[in-house]
mmCIF file of all heavy atoms in Angstrom:
data_model
loop_
_atom_site.group_PDB
_atom_site.id
_atom_site.type_symbol
_atom_site.label_atom_id
_atom_site.label_comp_id
_atom_site.label_asym_id
_atom_site.label_seq_id
_atom_site.Cartn_x
_atom_site.Cartn_y
_atom_site.Cartn_z
ATOM 1 N N TRP Z 430 0.812 -1.246 0.016
ATOM 2 C CA TRP Z 430 -0.008 -0.026 0.000
ATOM 3 C C TRP Z 430 0.854 1.252 -0.063
ATOM 4 O O TRP Z 430 1.868 1.268 0.694
ATOM 5 C CB TRP Z 430 -0.874 0.042 1.224
ATOM 6 C CG TRP Z 430 -1.893 -1.088 1.387
ATOM 7 C CD1 TRP Z 430 -1.608 -2.450 1.346
ATOM 8 C CD2 TRP Z 430 -3.311 -0.928 1.628
ATOM 9 N NE1 TRP Z 430 -2.757 -3.160 1.444
ATOM 10 C CE2 TRP Z 430 -3.850 -2.273 1.682
ATOM 11 C CE3 TRP Z 430 -4.167 0.123 1.767
ATOM 12 C CZ2 TRP Z 430 -5.147 -2.485 1.900
ATOM 13 C CZ3 TRP Z 430 -5.433 -0.095 2.006
ATOM 14 C CH2 TRP Z 430 -5.994 -1.329 2.039
ATOM 15 N N TYR Z 431 0.381 2.254 -0.725
ATOM 16 C CA TYR Z 431 1.056 3.569 -0.769
ATOM 17 C C TYR Z 431 0.045 4.620 -0.526
ATOM 18 O O TYR Z 431 -0.989 4.709 -1.268
ATOM 19 C CB TYR Z 431 1.746 3.775 -2.153
ATOM 20 C CG TYR Z 431 2.589 5.040 -2.223
ATOM 21 C CD1 TYR Z 431 3.985 4.941 -1.943
ATOM 22 C CD2 TYR Z 431 2.084 6.246 -2.525
ATOM 23 C CE1 TYR Z 431 4.769 6.105 -2.125
ATOM 24 C CE2 TYR Z 431 2.845 7.383 -2.663
ATOM 25 C CZ TYR Z 431 4.192 7.323 -2.371
ATOM 26 O OH TYR Z 431 5.005 8.396 -2.444
ATOM 27 N N GLU Z 432 0.201 5.317 0.597
ATOM 28 C CA GLU Z 432 -0.715 6.449 0.943
ATOM 29 C C GLU Z 432 -0.207 7.786 0.527
ATOM 30 O O GLU Z 432 0.929 8.166 0.780
ATOM 31 C CB GLU Z 432 -0.983 6.395 2.416
ATOM 32 C CG GLU Z 432 -1.929 7.502 2.910
ATOM 33 C CD GLU Z 432 -2.130 7.508 4.451
ATOM 34 O OE1 GLU Z 432 -1.512 6.614 5.082
ATOM 35 O OE2 GLU Z 432 -2.986 8.322 4.922
ATOM 36 N N PHE Z 433 -1.070 8.594 -0.101
ATOM 37 C CA PHE Z 433 -0.757 9.995 -0.362
ATOM 38 C C PHE Z 433 -1.984 10.893 -0.337
ATOM 39 O O PHE Z 433 -3.087 10.308 -0.490
ATOM 40 C CB PHE Z 433 0.035 10.196 -1.700
ATOM 41 C CG PHE Z 433 -0.732 9.916 -2.904
ATOM 42 C CD1 PHE Z 433 -1.517 10.956 -3.502
ATOM 43 C CD2 PHE Z 433 -0.687 8.668 -3.523
ATOM 44 C CE1 PHE Z 433 -2.236 10.725 -4.697
ATOM 45 C CE2 PHE Z 433 -1.422 8.427 -4.726
ATOM 46 C CZ PHE Z 433 -2.183 9.407 -5.293
ATOM 47 N N PHE Z 434 -1.814 12.135 -0.153
ATOM 48 C CA PHE Z 434 -2.948 13.100 -0.182
ATOM 49 C C PHE Z 434 -3.180 13.603 -1.541
ATOM 50 O O PHE Z 434 -2.286 14.287 -2.077
ATOM 51 C CB PHE Z 434 -2.693 14.237 0.825
ATOM 52 C CG PHE Z 434 -2.838 13.855 2.285
ATOM 53 C CD1 PHE Z 434 -1.785 13.081 2.860
ATOM 54 C CD2 PHE Z 434 -3.853 14.309 3.067
ATOM 55 C CE1 PHE Z 434 -1.880 12.765 4.273
ATOM 56 C CE2 PHE Z 434 -3.956 14.016 4.355
ATOM 57 C CZ PHE Z 434 -2.906 13.232 5.003
ATOM 58 N N PRO Z 435 -4.235 13.404 -2.178
ATOM 59 C CA PRO Z 435 -4.528 13.887 -3.605
ATOM 60 C C PRO Z 435 -4.377 15.386 -3.681
ATOM 61 O O PRO Z 435 -3.953 15.864 -4.732
ATOM 62 C CB PRO Z 435 -5.987 13.366 -3.858
ATOM 63 C CG PRO Z 435 -6.380 12.517 -2.804
ATOM 64 C CD PRO Z 435 -5.459 12.605 -1.675
ATOM 65 N N ARG Z 436 -4.681 16.070 -2.637
ATOM 66 C CA ARG Z 436 -4.585 17.570 -2.748
ATOM 67 C C ARG Z 436 -3.123 18.031 -2.833
ATOM 68 O O ARG Z 436 -2.887 19.240 -3.109
ATOM 69 C CB ARG Z 436 -5.236 18.230 -1.546
ATOM 70 C CG ARG Z 436 -4.659 18.005 -0.161
ATOM 71 C CD ARG Z 436 -5.549 18.478 0.893
ATOM 72 N NE ARG Z 436 -4.976 18.435 2.189
ATOM 73 C CZ ARG Z 436 -5.634 18.761 3.389
ATOM 74 N NH1 ARG Z 436 -6.885 19.018 3.318
ATOM 75 N NH2 ARG Z 436 -4.956 18.692 4.497
ATOM 76 N N SER Z 437 -2.184 17.224 -2.516
ATOM 77 C CA SER Z 437 -0.731 17.585 -2.551
ATOM 78 C C SER Z 437 -0.043 17.075 -3.808
ATOM 79 O O SER Z 437 1.140 16.820 -3.802
ATOM 80 C CB SER Z 437 -0.044 17.086 -1.313
ATOM 81 O OG SER Z 437 -0.524 17.665 -0.103
ATOM 82 N N THR Z 438 -0.761 16.778 -4.866
ATOM 83 C CA THR Z 438 -0.132 16.218 -6.083
ATOM 84 C C THR Z 438 0.086 17.148 -7.232
ATOM 85 O O THR Z 438 0.537 16.791 -8.350
ATOM 86 C CB THR Z 438 -1.107 15.096 -6.583
ATOM 87 O OG1 THR Z 438 -2.410 15.594 -6.863
ATOM 88 C CG2 THR Z 438 -1.162 13.901 -5.534
ATOM 89 N N ALA Z 439 -0.253 18.421 -7.027
ATOM 90 C CA ALA Z 439 -0.101 19.411 -8.133
ATOM 91 C C ALA Z 439 1.380 19.605 -8.464
ATOM 92 O O ALA Z 439 2.262 19.520 -7.616
ATOM 93 C CB ALA Z 439 -0.749 20.801 -7.723
ATOM 94 N N GLN Z 440 1.672 19.775 -9.729
ATOM 95 C CA GLN Z 440 2.978 20.059 -10.201
ATOM 96 C C GLN Z 440 3.485 21.407 -9.788
ATOM 97 O O GLN Z 440 4.699 21.583 -9.526
ATOM 98 C CB GLN Z 440 3.073 19.937 -11.745
ATOM 99 C CG GLN Z 440 2.972 18.525 -12.264
ATOM 100 C CD GLN Z 440 3.044 18.384 -13.748
ATOM 101 O OE1 GLN Z 440 2.101 18.825 -14.430
ATOM 102 N NE2 GLN Z 440 4.149 17.941 -14.220
ATOM 103 N N GLU Z 441 2.527 22.406 -9.719
ATOM 104 C CA GLU Z 441 2.949 23.758 -9.352
ATOM 105 C C GLU Z 441 2.649 23.992 -7.856
ATOM 106 O O GLU Z 441 1.631 23.654 -7.357
ATOM 107 C CB GLU Z 441 2.194 24.782 -10.199
ATOM 108 C CG GLU Z 441 2.248 24.524 -11.672
ATOM 109 C CD GLU Z 441 1.124 23.536 -12.149
ATOM 110 O OE1 GLU Z 441 0.214 23.320 -11.306
ATOM 111 O OE2 GLU Z 441 1.224 23.039 -13.245
ATOM 112 N N ALA Z 442 3.631 24.705 -7.270
ATOM 113 C CA ALA Z 442 3.415 25.138 -5.811
ATOM 114 C C ALA Z 442 2.201 26.033 -5.737
ATOM 115 O O ALA Z 442 2.062 26.901 -6.594
ATOM 116 C CB ALA Z 442 4.646 25.715 -5.216
ATOM 117 N N GLY Z 443 1.437 25.925 -4.703
ATOM 118 C CA GLY Z 443 0.345 26.808 -4.474
ATOM 119 C C GLY Z 443 -0.979 26.400 -5.088
ATOM 120 O O GLY Z 443 -1.982 27.128 -4.930
ATOM 121 N N ARG Z 444 -0.983 25.266 -5.810
ATOM 122 C CA ARG Z 444 -2.233 24.850 -6.484
ATOM 123 C C ARG Z 444 -2.723 23.604 -5.829
ATOM 124 O O ARG Z 444 -1.932 22.729 -5.409
ATOM 125 C CB ARG Z 444 -1.907 24.630 -7.970
ATOM 126 C CG ARG Z 444 -3.163 24.219 -8.749
ATOM 127 C CD ARG Z 444 -3.025 24.149 -10.213
ATOM 128 N NE ARG Z 444 -2.119 23.091 -10.651
ATOM 129 C CZ ARG Z 444 -2.420 21.791 -10.864
ATOM 130 N NH1 ARG Z 444 -3.672 21.355 -10.571
ATOM 131 N NH2 ARG Z 444 -1.553 20.921 -11.308
ATOM 132 N N HIS Z 445 -4.056 23.473 -5.717
ATOM 133 C CA HIS Z 445 -4.709 22.315 -5.126
ATOM 134 C C HIS Z 445 -4.584 21.141 -6.118
ATOM 135 O O HIS Z 445 -4.951 21.327 -7.300
ATOM 136 C CB HIS Z 445 -6.115 22.620 -4.753
ATOM 137 C CG HIS Z 445 -6.849 21.650 -3.889
ATOM 138 N ND1 HIS Z 445 -7.101 20.385 -4.317
ATOM 139 C CD2 HIS Z 445 -7.144 21.739 -2.645
ATOM 140 C CE1 HIS Z 445 -7.703 19.734 -3.263
ATOM 141 N NE2 HIS Z 445 -7.778 20.517 -2.188
ATOM 142 N N GLY Z 446 -4.177 19.948 -5.664
ATOM 143 C CA GLY Z 446 -4.075 18.806 -6.544
ATOM 144 C C GLY Z 446 -5.395 18.305 -6.970
ATOM 145 O O GLY Z 446 -6.480 18.551 -6.271
ATOM 146 N N THR Z 447 -5.488 17.529 -8.080
ATOM 147 C CA THR Z 447 -6.742 16.994 -8.623
ATOM 148 C C THR Z 447 -6.506 15.528 -8.914
ATOM 149 O O THR Z 447 -5.434 14.996 -8.886
ATOM 150 C CB THR Z 447 -7.138 17.760 -9.863
ATOM 151 O OG1 THR Z 447 -6.167 17.459 -10.940
ATOM 152 C CG2 THR Z 447 -7.209 19.303 -9.612
ATOM 153 N N PHE Z 448 -7.631 14.853 -9.294
ATOM 154 C CA PHE Z 448 -7.525 13.505 -9.736
ATOM 155 C C PHE Z 448 -6.659 13.405 -10.956
ATOM 156 O O PHE Z 448 -6.001 12.367 -11.211
ATOM 157 C CB PHE Z 448 -8.897 12.872 -9.938
ATOM 158 C CG PHE Z 448 -9.690 12.766 -8.623
ATOM 159 C CD1 PHE Z 448 -10.975 13.185 -8.534
ATOM 160 C CD2 PHE Z 448 -9.177 12.176 -7.524
ATOM 161 C CE1 PHE Z 448 -11.741 13.069 -7.371
ATOM 162 C CE2 PHE Z 448 -9.877 12.059 -6.375
ATOM 163 C CZ PHE Z 448 -11.129 12.512 -6.274
ATOM 164 N N LYS Z 449 -6.693 14.432 -11.847
ATOM 165 C CA LYS Z 449 -5.827 14.362 -13.002
ATOM 166 C C LYS Z 449 -4.411 14.394 -12.600
ATOM 167 O O LYS Z 449 -3.522 13.699 -13.253
ATOM 168 C CB LYS Z 449 -6.165 15.548 -13.917
ATOM 169 C CG LYS Z 449 -7.488 15.414 -14.538
ATOM 170 C CD LYS Z 449 -7.587 14.299 -15.531
ATOM 171 C CE LYS Z 449 -8.908 14.282 -16.336
ATOM 172 N NZ LYS Z 449 -9.029 13.089 -17.249
ATOM 173 N N ASP Z 450 -4.038 15.175 -11.593
ATOM 174 C CA ASP Z 450 -2.700 15.154 -11.006
ATOM 175 C C ASP Z 450 -2.313 13.744 -10.489
ATOM 176 O O ASP Z 450 -1.155 13.304 -10.650
ATOM 177 C CB ASP Z 450 -2.467 16.208 -9.944
ATOM 178 C CG ASP Z 450 -2.619 17.571 -10.530
ATOM 179 O OD1 ASP Z 450 -1.988 17.909 -11.477
ATOM 180 O OD2 ASP Z 450 -3.354 18.411 -9.897
ATOM 181 N N CYS Z 451 -3.321 13.131 -9.865
ATOM 182 C CA CYS Z 451 -3.089 11.869 -9.263
ATOM 183 C C CYS Z 451 -2.774 10.821 -10.431
ATOM 184 O O CYS Z 451 -1.919 9.934 -10.245
ATOM 185 C CB CYS Z 451 -4.270 11.325 -8.518
ATOM 186 S SG CYS Z 451 -4.638 12.281 -6.952
ATOM 187 N N GLU Z 452 -3.455 10.971 -11.561
ATOM 188 C CA GLU Z 452 -3.197 10.038 -12.650
ATOM 189 C C GLU Z 452 -1.716 10.175 -13.154
ATOM 190 O O GLU Z 452 -1.129 9.192 -13.514
ATOM 191 C CB GLU Z 452 -4.109 10.332 -13.739
ATOM 192 C CG GLU Z 452 -5.537 9.980 -13.628
ATOM 193 C CD GLU Z 452 -6.424 10.198 -14.808
ATOM 194 O OE1 GLU Z 452 -5.849 10.275 -15.895
ATOM 195 O OE2 GLU Z 452 -7.646 10.289 -14.666
ATOM 196 N N ARG Z 453 -1.203 11.370 -13.008
ATOM 197 C CA ARG Z 453 0.150 11.650 -13.497
ATOM 198 C C ARG Z 453 1.190 10.790 -12.674
ATOM 199 O O ARG Z 453 2.287 10.476 -13.100
ATOM 200 C CB ARG Z 453 0.441 13.139 -13.492
ATOM 201 C CG ARG Z 453 1.828 13.542 -13.808
ATOM 202 C CD ARG Z 453 1.962 15.015 -13.856
ATOM 203 N NE ARG Z 453 1.612 15.596 -12.571
ATOM 204 C CZ ARG Z 453 2.463 15.658 -11.506
ATOM 205 N NH1 ARG Z 453 3.661 15.158 -11.604
ATOM 206 N NH2 ARG Z 453 2.021 16.135 -10.337
ATOM 207 N N LEU Z 454 0.786 10.556 -11.405
ATOM 208 C CA LEU Z 454 1.665 9.826 -10.506
ATOM 209 C C LEU Z 454 1.606 8.324 -10.590
ATOM 210 O O LEU Z 454 2.506 7.635 -10.094
ATOM 211 C CB LEU Z 454 1.331 10.184 -9.031
ATOM 212 C CG LEU Z 454 1.535 11.620 -8.596
ATOM 213 C CD1 LEU Z 454 1.159 11.846 -7.171
ATOM 214 C CD2 LEU Z 454 3.075 12.018 -8.800
ATOM 215 N N LEU Z 455 0.674 7.890 -11.373
ATOM 216 C CA LEU Z 455 0.411 6.364 -11.368
ATOM 217 C C LEU Z 455 1.641 5.621 -11.957
ATOM 218 O O LEU Z 455 2.069 4.609 -11.360
ATOM 219 C CB LEU Z 455 -0.826 6.058 -12.259
ATOM 220 C CG LEU Z 455 -2.144 6.399 -11.566
ATOM 221 C CD1 LEU Z 455 -3.309 6.263 -12.595
ATOM 222 C CD2 LEU Z 455 -2.377 5.545 -10.316
ATOM 223 N N PRO Z 456 2.276 6.060 -13.069
ATOM 224 C CA PRO Z 456 3.452 5.306 -13.563
ATOM 225 C C PRO Z 456 4.618 5.300 -12.482
ATOM 226 O O PRO Z 456 5.311 4.220 -12.341
ATOM 227 C CB PRO Z 456 3.967 6.111 -14.788
ATOM 228 C CG PRO Z 456 2.690 6.830 -15.169
ATOM 229 C CD PRO Z 456 1.966 7.154 -13.980
ATOM 230 N N ARG Z 457 4.706 6.376 -11.698
ATOM 231 C CA ARG Z 457 5.779 6.437 -10.695
ATOM 232 C C ARG Z 457 5.527 5.414 -9.603
ATOM 233 O O ARG Z 457 6.384 4.659 -9.216
ATOM 234 C CB ARG Z 457 5.851 7.841 -10.113
ATOM 235 C CG ARG Z 457 6.814 8.004 -8.967
ATOM 236 C CD ARG Z 457 6.585 9.352 -8.316
ATOM 237 N NE ARG Z 457 7.618 9.670 -7.348
ATOM 238 C CZ ARG Z 457 7.628 9.304 -6.104
ATOM 239 N NH1 ARG Z 457 6.677 8.613 -5.678
ATOM 240 N NH2 ARG Z 457 8.618 9.721 -5.322
ATOM 241 N N ILE Z 458 4.254 5.379 -9.087
ATOM 242 C CA ILE Z 458 3.912 4.455 -7.987
ATOM 243 C C ILE Z 458 3.905 3.013 -8.485
ATOM 244 O O ILE Z 458 4.337 2.104 -7.695
ATOM 245 C CB ILE Z 458 2.541 4.881 -7.454
ATOM 246 C CG1 ILE Z 458 2.682 6.286 -6.776
ATOM 247 C CG2 ILE Z 458 2.087 3.869 -6.399
ATOM 248 C CD1 ILE Z 458 1.329 6.859 -6.390
ATOM 249 N N ALA Z 459 3.531 2.765 -9.730
ATOM 250 C CA ALA Z 459 3.570 1.443 -10.292
ATOM 251 C C ALA Z 459 5.037 0.954 -10.458
ATOM 252 O O ALA Z 459 5.364 -0.151 -10.123
ATOM 253 C CB ALA Z 459 2.930 1.359 -11.624
ATOM 254 N N GLU Z 460 5.887 1.878 -10.882
ATOM 255 C CA GLU Z 460 7.328 1.565 -10.986
ATOM 256 C C GLU Z 460 7.993 1.192 -9.681
ATOM 257 O O GLU Z 460 8.788 0.372 -9.568
ATOM 258 C CB GLU Z 460 8.078 2.743 -11.612
ATOM 259 C CG GLU Z 460 9.537 2.452 -11.786
ATOM 260 C CD GLU Z 460 10.320 3.732 -12.299
ATOM 261 O OE1 GLU Z 460 9.631 4.768 -12.525
ATOM 262 O OE2 GLU Z 460 11.506 3.648 -12.516
ATOM 263 N N MET Z 461 7.477 1.846 -8.561
ATOM 264 C CA MET Z 461 7.995 1.522 -7.255
ATOM 265 C C MET Z 461 7.425 0.174 -6.815
ATOM 266 O O MET Z 461 7.898 -0.350 -5.720
ATOM 267 C CB MET Z 461 7.568 2.615 -6.270
ATOM 268 C CG MET Z 461 8.317 3.894 -6.474
ATOM 269 S SD MET Z 461 7.720 5.176 -5.266
ATOM 270 C CE MET Z 461 8.436 4.518 -3.769
ATOM 271 N N GLY Z 462 6.458 -0.397 -7.406
ATOM 272 C CA GLY Z 462 5.996 -1.761 -7.128
ATOM 273 C C GLY Z 462 4.863 -1.826 -6.238
ATOM 274 O O GLY Z 462 4.432 -2.922 -5.721
ATOM 275 N N PHE Z 463 4.091 -0.778 -5.972
ATOM 276 C CA PHE Z 463 2.857 -0.766 -5.117
ATOM 277 C C PHE Z 463 1.646 -1.160 -5.959
ATOM 278 O O PHE Z 463 1.502 -0.831 -7.124
ATOM 279 C CB PHE Z 463 2.669 0.541 -4.503
ATOM 280 C CG PHE Z 463 3.653 0.925 -3.388
ATOM 281 C CD1 PHE Z 463 4.747 1.749 -3.734
ATOM 282 C CD2 PHE Z 463 3.597 0.343 -2.150
ATOM 283 C CE1 PHE Z 463 5.712 2.041 -2.777
ATOM 284 C CE2 PHE Z 463 4.572 0.661 -1.146
ATOM 285 C CZ PHE Z 463 5.645 1.493 -1.496
ATOM 286 N N ASP Z 464 0.771 -1.947 -5.308
ATOM 287 C CA ASP Z 464 -0.410 -2.477 -5.973
ATOM 288 C C ASP Z 464 -1.695 -1.839 -5.419
ATOM 289 O O ASP Z 464 -2.794 -2.065 -5.971
ATOM 290 C CB ASP Z 464 -0.528 -3.971 -5.929
ATOM 291 C CG ASP Z 464 -0.486 -4.476 -4.533
ATOM 292 O OD1 ASP Z 464 -1.246 -4.055 -3.663
ATOM 293 O OD2 ASP Z 464 0.390 -5.467 -4.180
ATOM 294 N N THR Z 465 -1.579 -0.989 -4.428
ATOM 295 C CA THR Z 465 -2.746 -0.376 -3.761
ATOM 296 C C THR Z 465 -2.393 1.116 -3.473
ATOM 297 O O THR Z 465 -1.318 1.304 -2.759
ATOM 298 C CB THR Z 465 -3.118 -1.092 -2.470
ATOM 299 O OG1 THR Z 465 -3.372 -2.493 -2.814
ATOM 300 C CG2 THR Z 465 -4.478 -0.516 -1.946
ATOM 301 N N ILE Z 466 -3.152 2.006 -3.851
ATOM 302 C CA ILE Z 466 -3.065 3.453 -3.571
ATOM 303 C C ILE Z 466 -4.176 3.711 -2.561
ATOM 304 O O ILE Z 466 -5.344 3.468 -2.860
ATOM 305 C CB ILE Z 466 -3.166 4.328 -4.786
ATOM 306 C CG1 ILE Z 466 -1.885 4.296 -5.577
ATOM 307 C CG2 ILE Z 466 -3.498 5.719 -4.272
ATOM 308 C CD1 ILE Z 466 -2.030 5.059 -6.886
#
């Protein structure tokens, strides 16, 4: 399991993260070998 806060996923500082930003992280988390977010 890998836990993260979706609101902290924005690429730019000062912006609220979105589910689209979360999608951008999927390859990274998959590469690390986690099967549950």
Side-chain angles (χ1 to χ4, degrees):
W430 297 55
Y431 187 93
E432 177 181 4
F433 69 86
F434 286 73
R436 67 189 186 186
S437 297
T438 56
Q440 289 180 288
E441 310 85 13
R444 180 170 68 81
H445 195 289
T447 67
F448 293 130
K449 290 295 184 182
D450 293 311
C451 293
E452 286 185 23
R453 179 176 54 84
L454 295 179
L455 289 172
R457 176 190 191 275
I458 296 172
E460 181 184 358
M461 290 179 68
F463 290 98
D464 55 53
T465 307
I466 285 174

